[in-house]
Amino acid sequence: MLDRFQHPAQMIVTGFGGAALLGTALLCLPVATTAAKPVDLLTALFTATSAVCLTGLVIVDTAAHWSVFGEVVIALLVQVGGLGIMTMATLMTVLLSGRLGLRARLFAQAETKALSMADVRRLLRNIVLFSLIVEAVVTVVLTARFAIGYGEPLGRAAYLGAFHAISAFNNAGFALWPDSLVRFVTDPWICVTIAIAVIVGGLGFPVVFEVLRSWRRPGRWSLLTRITLGVSGALLVVSIGIFTVTEWRNPGTLGPLDDSGKLLAGFFTAVMPRSSGFNTIDLAQMHPSSWLATDLLMFVGGGSAGTAGGIKVTTFGLLAFVIWAELRGETSVNIGHRRVAEATLRQAITLATISTVTVAVCTYAMLVLTDHDLDEVLFEVVSAFATVGLSTGMTADATPAGHVLLTVLMFIGRIGPLTVGSALALRERTRRYELPEERVIVG
């Protein structure tokens, strides 16, 4: 029976599922809530799944509904989800035994997207150290700002700083205010710090480590790093322009702010769709065109092997190069001085197709289950699938069936459609022969 769970992808699914169920059990405890009666099972399951899948969608106000114990549980689930269940399990194996076996290396490789197994042990150590260092720096900055700028007691300021540092770096988007970060819309110390943490966490560990290691020699960067940085930078610049221009005179969003406040809010709003659910403006008041732009940005997401969701910027970039190569009539996809493997291209196409179908099917289902318009439903569905957490307010008003659907969607979006598919397969099949080729008319 145990042999049925030897595939690394299956272990990832089991690990994240187990973490979500454990978090649900903890949040169901009376000590986890401020209410007079224990929280219902669906609310606990939704919140735990949202936390461990780094989404940030909520159906109850985090600060008002959960006690300090509940908030700590949520923060720990976010941290565990960010580092990865298999990363945590592998580190425990290293700490307890001092040895890293082949099976543990395979599990860690599947979770961290390491390109070889030789450096998995060192990579996992660097991931944990880097995560803790970034979170510590963000915590110090936020703590100082909350204490000095807003008069919070040092203990409370440190608690707020640590919670939001974990939430930001892991692209979770949980906030301890009912309006997320709207009250800090013109505060660059908070907005810029959180935005930088979101960007760094969303780039992906392989890219961040390569940049830190070879920042003086960008010509030696791998194709993964070049695509990730190039596409991420281009999307950020375009999205800043879109949101700032579209919402500049909107009285419900950027309109009441001064010019510097509008630019800061436009920058922050452009960063968040990469996979973090913080917001400094009322998303429900945004122009429908801004909603559509946010949908597209959320669907693309951030970098591979990081805390961001979506189909990933590498997938988006590869698809763009596939289209360009096809338009030019080239038989292979070349980027720079490298040819992209056909297996990688098939994986990108498959991932994008599965993701598109998943979003379409779930959007249809949510339209049946709710009375909201298509643009609102699509926004929430993409936000859940891409593990972003941005919301127009529809999630809290959804039916229990809608909450169950969003819970499943967050789980699928975090572990990835391909991981789900491979986890369901008991073994890999290798075709030992090739069939005759036949051309099919396309278009």
Side-chain angles (χ1 to χ4, degrees):
M1 188 68 180
L2 293 176
D3 292 338
R4 296 174 63 87
F5 294 94
Q6 300 306 304
H7 197 287
Q10 291 177 309
M11 294 299 297
I12 293 174
V13 174
T14 304
F16 275 98
L21 293 178
L22 176 60
T24 301
L26 293 175
L27 292 178
C28 282
L29 297 175
V31 70
T33 179
T34 59
K37 57 181 180 179
V39 68
D40 63 278
L41 180 61
L42 181 56
T43 300
L45 176 63
F46 187 96
T47 304
T49 304
S50 181
V52 78
C53 294
L54 311 179
T55 306
L57 285 177
V58 296
I59 54 181
V60 294
D61 180 31
T62 303
H65 187 83
W66 303 109
S67 64
V68 173
F69 176 83
E71 293 170 359
V72 171
V73 169
I74 291 173
L76 291 177
L77 289 174
V78 168
Q79 187 72 81
V80 170
L83 292 176
I85 300 300
M86 291 302 102
T87 302
M88 298 291 288
T90 304
L91 285 176
M92 289 302 296
T93 302
V94 174
L95 293 175
L96 294 176
S97 65
R99 300 177 61 185
L100 190 61
L102 178 61
R103 182 176 301 175
R105 287 172 182 255
L106 286 171
F107 293 160
Q109 181 189 17
E111 171 59 23
T112 62
K113 308 296 188 301
L115 299 180
S116 66
M117 291 188 296
D119 296 327
V120 168
R121 181 173 179 174
R122 184 177 50 140
L123 175 63
L124 297 185
R125 183 182 66 247
N126 291 341
I127 287 175
V128 175
L129 289 176
F130 179 77
S131 300
L132 295 179
I133 290 173
V134 173
E135 290 173 357
V137 172
V138 175
T139 298
V140 171
V141 175
L142 294 180
T143 298
R145 185 56 181 166
F146 289 137
I148 299 174
Y150 297 92
E152 294 284 356
L154 184 58
R156 175 66 178 173
Y159 176 75
L160 292 173
F163 184 94
H164 292 92
I166 294 173
S167 184
F169 177 75
N170 291 288
N171 279 223
F174 280 92
L176 296 181
W177 295 279
D179 59 356
S180 188
L181 301 178
V182 173
R183 64 191 63 193
F184 307 113
V185 61
T186 58
D187 190 332
W189 284 99
I190 293 179
C191 292
V192 174
T193 301
I194 288 180
I196 292 176
V198 168
I199 292 174
V200 173
L203 283 177
F205 295 113
V207 172
V208 172
F209 290 163
E210 185 170 10
V211 170
L212 292 177
R213 184 174 58 252
S214 305
W215 64 274
R216 292 183 178 179
R217 299 183 297 275
R220 298 184 180 182
W221 288 350
S222 65
L223 201 56
L224 171 65
T225 299
R226 294 180 183 181
I227 294 176
T228 300
L229 294 180
V231 176
S232 296
L235 290 178
L236 181 59
V237 171
V238 171
S239 57
I240 290 175
I242 290 176
F243 291 125
T244 304
V245 172
T246 304
E247 302 295 328
W248 188 269
R249 299 185 183 278
N250 187 342
T253 55
L254 302 185
L257 305 176
D258 58 23
D259 290 351
S260 61
K262 290 178 180 178
L263 293 176
L264 177 60
F267 164 74
F268 192 87
T269 304
V271 170
M272 293 305 112
R274 68 183 303 111
S275 193
S276 185
F278 294 112
N279 62 280
T280 57
I281 60 175
D282 187 358
L283 300 180
Q285 301 298 320
M286 290 175 66
H287 193 275
S289 61
S290 295
W291 281 356
L292 178 59
T294 305
D295 292 339
L296 297 175
L297 292 169
M298 291 191 298
F299 186 76
V300 173
S304 300
T307 56
I311 64 172
K312 303 299 190 294
V313 292
T314 47
T315 303
F316 179 77
L318 287 175
L319 292 177
F321 280 105
V322 168
I323 295 173
W324 179 245
E326 190 64 27
L327 291 176
R328 298 182 63 182
E330 297 180 352
T331 57
S332 59
V333 177
N334 302 312
I335 304 177
H337 300 289
R338 294 291 186 270
R339 177 173 58 87
V340 182
E342 292 186 4
T344 303
L345 299 178
R346 289 197 304 269
Q347 184 181 13
I349 294 172
T350 302
L351 175 59
T353 303
I354 292 177
S355 300
T356 302
V357 172
T358 301
V359 169
V361 171
C362 291
T363 299
Y364 174 83
M366 284 297 291
L367 285 171
V368 174
L369 296 173
T370 68
D371 297 328
H372 292 269
D373 296 333
L374 174 61
D375 48 2
E376 292 181 282
V377 171
L378 179 62
F379 191 99
E380 303 292 317
V381 169
V382 175
S383 180
F385 175 77
T387 66
V388 178
L390 295 175
S391 175
T392 61
M394 196 207 80
T395 296
D397 299 331
T399 62
H403 290 156
V404 172
L405 177 61
L406 290 176
T407 300
V408 174
L409 197 56
M410 289 187 293
F411 187 79
I412 294 176
R414 170 54 184 158
I415 60 179
L418 288 182
T419 304
V420 174
S422 60
L424 296 177
L426 297 181
R427 68 173 184 267
E428 296 179 354
R429 295 182 176 90
T430 302
R431 185 180 292 275
R432 300 183 182 277
Y433 59 90
E434 292 292 338
L435 297 175
E437 181 181 282
E438 180 177 349
R439 291 280 185 174
V440 179
I441 297 177
V442 177

